[in-house]
Amino acid sequence: MAGPVRSEDATPRDDAIRLLARREYARAELRDRLAAKGHALEAVEACLDALVEQGLQSDVRFAESFLRSRVARGQGPVRIRAELSRRGVDDATARGAFDEAGGEVDWFELAATTLARRFSGPGQEPRERARRERFLAGRGFDFDQLRHAMNHAWDDA
């Protein structure tokens, strides 16, 4: 009985399928991973083209999945866009993922919920308020979302 395929015997497709079985990957991310395993760039590109054609790899699907996971973590649109770009997703694909999620995600409410979950109140001192603002900015919320959160995070408390 044959055992698992050893890495040095694996084709780019074998390695790509193994990676994609765990989670979605952007094409650029997958290309980098396969190249790091020592596969020839021409073979990697041909493999990626075939995977896209077969529907096994999709930057659109990756961007939508990535966006949902980051929203669940309480991250804002600025940070998510930057991370998608860093992972090789083009602006049009990222914009499409945000448009798709547009009706589902209220970024202002997410900022307020994220802030309320982390801090028990708005803080009385300017230093405490600045700390809360830095927290939200670091999470990737823009100025308007940050202001909204600072004013409404503890409305129900």
Side-chain angles (χ1 to χ4, degrees):
M1 186 194 268
V5 177
R6 290 191 355 231
S7 186
E8 61 265 9
D9 298 336
T11 65
R13 182 179 172 81
D14 293 336
D15 286 336
I17 295 295
R18 203 172 358 272
L19 288 167
L20 289 168
R22 291 188 203 117
R23 70 170 176 89
E24 293 283 348
Y25 280 86
R27 181 183 177 110
E29 215 178 4
L30 205 49
R31 180 187 313 113
D32 293 345
R33 292 272 183 132
L34 294 174
K37 288 182 177 283
H39 297 294
L41 195 53
E42 304 80 38
V44 168
E45 286 299 330
C47 169
L48 293 175
D49 289 342
L51 291 172
V52 168
E53 196 173 295
Q54 296 164 358
L56 298 174
Q57 191 281 323
S58 166
D59 277 359
V60 170
R61 200 169 54 231
F62 169 76
E64 290 170 353
S65 170
F66 188 85
L67 177 67
R68 280 191 305 276
S69 74
R70 293 313 194 251
V71 165
R73 291 184 185 181
Q75 293 181 357
V78 175
R79 183 170 177 176
I80 296 170
R81 279 184 200 278
E83 187 67 19
L84 282 170
S85 176
R86 191 180 72 73
R87 290 171 183 255
V89 175
D90 64 74
D91 288 340
T93 303
R95 209 173 14 261
F98 274 87
D99 291 346
E100 186 73 27
E104 300 171 24
V105 180
D106 180 348
W107 297 107
F108 293 92
E109 186 57 36
L110 181 61
T113 302
T114 301
L115 184 63
R117 200 177 311 136
R118 176 72 166 83
F119 296 98
S120 60
Q124 301 305 316
E125 301 294 319
R127 186 176 187 168
E128 292 172 9
R129 290 184 62 81
R131 182 172 173 229
R132 285 150 178 77
E133 290 170 356
R134 280 192 309 276
F135 169 75
L136 285 176
R139 283 293 181 102
F141 293 100
D142 68 24
F143 182 77
D144 292 333
Q145 294 157 354
L146 188 147
R147 283 281 139 233
H148 174 84
M150 290 296 292
N151 292 325
H152 300 286
W154 302 278
D155 286 353
D156 296 333

